[in-house]
Amino acid sequence: MNRPIPGTVEVAVRHILSDRVTGILVRTRRTTWRDSLYRVRRPQTGKQTVELTCPVCDASLLAEVRTEERTRRTKLVLRVLAALSAIVFFAAFAYAVHEGGRTLPEGQSLPLLFPVSVVAICVMFIAAPTFFVRGRAYNGVSLLDAPKPRRVHGIKSVRA
Ligand SMILES: [Zn+2]
């Protein structure tokens, strides 16, 4: 992979060729696509809209590019959210194990915090890896607009 050039970002314009779900008992999703690499210049301030052309079907896509500074900040926020979700997950897990494992005296029910901790475990189990993956992949470039059918295209980050 090429070395990163300051002030620019490499993105892949993805054209989904086919997306099929097969199988009855075990569902397998088969997606095929073609990625085309582009190097996009980042703006000095604010955000900038750039037009990229999909070489597969000639569609023109509008992408929004943010500054390096802003991209770094968003990545940091996502990383912090991932860490916080992980902390809440482990704290709620420890609490639920502790509270659920106790033998309660006759007529006493589990505290209200117990179901809350169970919900927190479920939510954070999804949230922590989601924030983590988003934070790693975030590059400050997002797809603004594409001709219909829109879901045929996507903009993916390319890691240097
Ligand atoms: Zn296309």
Side-chain angles (χ1 to χ4, degrees):
M1 194 53 68
N2 302 337
R3 274 187 297 125
I5 297 170
T8 67
V9 57
E10 222 177 358
V11 294
V13 168
R14 179 164 296 182
H15 180 103
I16 309 280
L17 296 166
S18 71
D19 189 2
R20 274 189 318 212
V21 179
T22 50
I24 297 150
L25 287 173
V26 181
R27 292 190 161 249
T28 9
R29 190 167 187 187
R30 293 185 66 144
T31 314
T32 53
W33 65 80
R34 193 162 298 157
D35 276 355
S36 319
L37 292 183
Y38 281 94
R39 187 172 289 281
V40 179
R41 184 165 294 280
R42 286 195 194 274
Q44 291 295 317
T45 51
K47 51 194 177 186
Q48 197 178 308
T49 307
V50 291
E51 197 179 327
L52 302 170
T53 311
C54 170
V56 180
C57 67
D58 267 338
S60 72
L61 317 173
L62 285 183
E64 198 173 68
V65 190
R66 285 165 194 89
T67 61
E68 215 142 310
E69 173 70 32
R70 173 85 188 273
T71 305
R72 249 201 310 271
R73 272 214 305 270
T74 306
K75 273 178 101 78
L76 184 69
V77 168
L78 289 166
R79 229 173 273 165
V80 169
L81 286 173
L84 285 178
S85 307
I87 291 166
V88 171
F89 173 81
F90 286 114
F93 192 80
Y95 172 82
V97 167
H98 170 80
E99 208 58 57
R102 272 201 318 186
T103 329
L104 291 171
E106 194 81 28
Q108 198 184 321
S109 57
L110 281 166
L112 180 72
L113 207 55
F114 184 75
V116 173
S117 71
V118 173
V119 171
I121 291 167
C122 299
V123 173
M124 295 308 158
F125 183 71
I126 305 291
T130 305
F131 284 132
F132 182 76
V133 170
R134 288 271 170 90
R136 271 172 79 100
Y138 186 77
N139 65 352
V141 185
S142 51
L143 183 64
L144 266 188
D145 201 13
K148 279 177 181 155
R150 208 193 128 114
R151 58 185 213 96
V152 166
H153 292 102
I155 288 181
K156 301 286 156 194
S157 69
V158 177
R159 295 218 288 140

